[in-house]
Amino acid sequence: MLKNVKCARCVKCGKEYEAVPNLTSCSCGGILDIIYDYDYIKANLTKDKLKSRPNTMWRYRELLPVEETTPDTPLRVGWSPLYEEDRLAKLLGLKKLWVKDDGQNPTASLKDRASAMAVAKAKEAGAEIIACSSTGNAASSLAGNAAAAGLKTFIFVPSRAPKGKVAQLMTFGANVISVQGNYEETFELSKKAIDKWGWYNRNAAINPYLSEGKKTVSLEIAEQLGWKMPDYLAISVGDGCTIAGVWKGLKDLYAIGFIDKLPRLISAQAEGCHPINRAIAENKPWEPMEENTLADSIAVGVPRNADKALMAIRESNGIVVNVTDEEIMAAQKLLGTTCGVFGEPAGVTGTAGVKKLCEQGVLGANDTVVSVVTGNGLKDVANAIKFCGEPMSLPNDLDLLVEEFTKRGIKTEA
Ligand SMILES: *Cc1c(COP(=O)(O)O)cnc(C)c1O
Ligand SMILES: [Zn+2]
């Protein structure tokens, strides 16, 4: 029995379930939300207590749906740096900007937070095999975290998954099935296989514990800011589990009195695939869209967690912004050149959204913003090289180097 959790409740019909480790969706098809006992948490967790905890996501145990006896998972997940970026803030015309580089997780994306949770819950369930379908990062993070914990994995990825992510999967020893089709078809095949063989399910919108893992990113942001919250928190959105998790974390902290203000969420999606943002903008139920963007991690035409994501954006009085692939790649370069942070396309989409909102005058000189970079640029080097270009190439000849510098107008002084 989880002492800090009351139950899991369907976001659609309100039906309540006991929070057993292998919980999936409601019988009505709705997604479950973990309901905490905030009185218990308040009585057991203080800000002071956190100071002596390990620098991983497991420092927030009282706010996570795991048994006291469940061990921390082996890889160091969480406590990624939150950089105060004064130069970029000035460039964009913001009062303050922080960049949370979640590409610094062990398998290089925010998904490690969910996968570590999946591994912890699979262990509680006594499962030895975990499966998932993913555009790449859920897969590689599950493969890595499971390998470290001695669990076997079956992973379904769409054939367009970038090579860096597939290389991770193969290195971590997963059983990888590259599905000839889009993410939707990949998800369907994984579902059929999971039903057939009864593996532990790490599909984020099905397993209600995973967004609880993802919420640790906002718990960290709050702690790293000394519990003083920014006006806005920007994040890229695909299935919607991350933004829903981020909101859950903020509401948890508010409920236990650790923060006294809730930031407004900025939901950033690709122009070529923005079913969640479209639903908000047009105030209509979401509808499927084409998956037409190079930001593979958020190329999700049929979002699996739209209900929770839409609720989170609406409750926070959030802002939606869609960015083109060119704007995404420009943001990648901007983060690289001004912050030294290298994000994958979906990883920098939140920042691309912030930049666009600044240009549109929606955000400005009075606003403080945290932008989460959700995945590392090394996952997809092909697109980075395509947009940032190849280096100059020369033989070992100083005269030619001087000539080339002159030709390109490169100054050799600071
Ligand atoms: C998965 C992912 C997202 C979006 O998360 P969702 O839960 O699908 O909305 C954003 N960026 C990166 C790098 C991701 O891997
Ligand atoms: Zn239900």
Side-chain angles (χ1 to χ4, degrees):
M1 271 293 286
L2 298 166
K3 290 185 191 151
N4 57 343
V5 170
K6 285 185 173 161
C7 65
R9 187 182 296 148
C10 176
V11 298
K12 238 185 194 149
C13 75
K15 188 170 171 191
E16 294 186 350
Y17 294 82
E18 189 189 335
V20 295
N22 57 354
L23 209 54
T24 56
S25 316
C26 180
S27 51
C28 83
I31 290 162
L32 301 181
D33 189 27
I34 306 297
I35 308 296
Y36 289 90
D37 180 346
Y38 290 124
D39 291 331
Y40 176 87
I41 296 168
K42 266 196 214 163
N44 285 277
L45 182 66
T46 60
K47 290 177 181 175
D48 222 39
K49 252 190 188 173
L50 285 171
K51 288 182 184 148
S52 58
R53 300 271 176 94
N55 284 338
T56 74
M57 63 181 263
W58 298 114
R59 66 196 277 107
Y60 305 109
R61 253 174 191 275
E62 287 86 348
L63 287 162
L64 294 174
V66 287
E67 299 287 352
E68 283 171 357
T69 50
T70 302
D72 290 6
T73 49
L75 296 180
R76 190 277 309 158
V77 176
W79 208 252
S80 60
L82 181 75
Y83 299 122
E84 189 172 335
E85 302 287 4
D86 291 341
R87 258 179 307 131
L88 185 53
K90 200 166 163 210
L91 220 94
L92 297 178
L94 289 168
K95 185 168 169 191
K96 275 210 179 296
L97 174 71
W98 293 267
V99 169
K100 172 87 167 158
D101 185 7
D102 238 41
Q104 289 200 35
N105 275 303
T107 76
S109 82
L110 186 149
K111 294 287 194 300
D112 278 323
R113 299 176 185 275
S115 289
M117 180 60 72
V119 165
K121 296 308 285 182
K123 290 259 176 182
E124 284 181 6
E128 286 169 296
I129 303 178
I130 315 184
C132 82
S133 74
S134 158
T135 55
N137 286 332
S140 51
S141 65
L142 177 62
N145 282 277
L151 298 173
K152 182 170 169 177
T153 49
F154 283 88
I155 309 263
F156 298 78
V157 288
S159 47
R160 64 170 152 79
K163 286 239 163 10
K165 298 180 184 180
V166 178
Q168 286 183 298
L169 291 176
M170 302 313 287
T171 304
F172 295 139
N175 295 289
V176 186
I177 303 98
S178 173
V179 180
Q180 297 160 9
N182 60 13
Y183 177 48
E184 165 74 357
E185 291 160 304
T186 306
F187 187 91
E188 292 298 328
L189 183 60
S190 80
K191 187 171 180 305
K192 288 181 219 161
I194 289 167
D195 287 346
K196 182 171 171 64
W197 285 293
W199 303 321
Y200 190 82
N201 192 336
R202 186 247 176 265
N203 282 330
I206 304 279
N207 183 323
Y209 296 114
L210 303 186
S211 58
E212 300 298 316
K214 287 185 172 182
K215 85 182 177 189
T216 57
V217 72
S218 53
L219 304 181
E220 282 174 24
I221 289 170
E223 192 180 357
Q224 288 168 323
L225 289 175
W227 313 106
K228 286 189 198 59
M229 299 312 292
D231 301 320
Y232 296 91
L233 199 159
I235 192 111
S236 52
V237 174
D239 271 320
C241 305
T242 308
I243 197 164
V246 160
W247 185 238
K248 179 72 174 284
L250 295 169
K251 284 203 306 181
D252 283 351
L253 293 177
Y254 193 82
I256 62 169
F258 277 30
I259 59 174
D260 55 14
K261 163 183 166 174
L262 290 164
R264 295 173 68 183
L265 298 176
I266 295 172
S267 166
Q269 292 204 287
E271 194 66 63
C273 188
H274 59 276
I276 289 181
N277 283 359
R278 184 170 67 182
I280 296 279
E282 299 178 2
N283 200 19
K284 285 201 299 225
W286 71 272
E287 280 170 44
M289 272 187 98
E290 297 278 297
E291 295 174 353
N292 205 354
T293 171
L294 58 71
D296 64 288
S297 303
I298 52 166
V300 181
V302 180
R304 296 290 154 189
N305 213 342
D307 288 342
K308 270 195 196 174
L310 292 170
M311 264 192 282
I313 299 166
R314 290 196 172 113
E315 263 182 45
S316 83
N317 189 21
I319 303 180
V320 298
V321 57
N322 305 317
V323 285
T324 63
D325 283 357
E326 288 68 31
E327 288 167 332
I328 289 172
M329 297 315 288
Q332 181 186 59
K333 181 112 195 247
L334 185 65
L335 274 166
T337 51
T338 58
C339 310
V341 170
F342 186 18
E344 67 166 281
V348 304
T349 299
T351 309
V354 170
K355 178 167 182 279
K356 191 162 189 171
L357 291 170
C358 289
E359 287 158 4
Q360 292 173 343
V362 180
L363 299 181
N366 293 323
D367 298 317
T368 60
V369 182
V370 170
S371 186
V372 183
V373 171
T374 49
N376 193 288
L378 290 173
K379 296 216 173 225
D380 181 6
V381 288
N383 275 312
I385 289 174
K386 198 166 132 199
F387 281 81
C388 292
E390 299 276 353
M392 62 184 86
S393 167
L394 292 173
N396 176 12
D397 184 326
L398 187 61
D399 293 337
L400 282 177
L401 182 62
V402 172
E403 204 176 291
E404 190 70 23
F405 278 179
T406 312
K407 208 167 82 192
R408 291 174 183 247
I410 293 173
K411 294 196 193 79
T412 52
E413 313 89 54

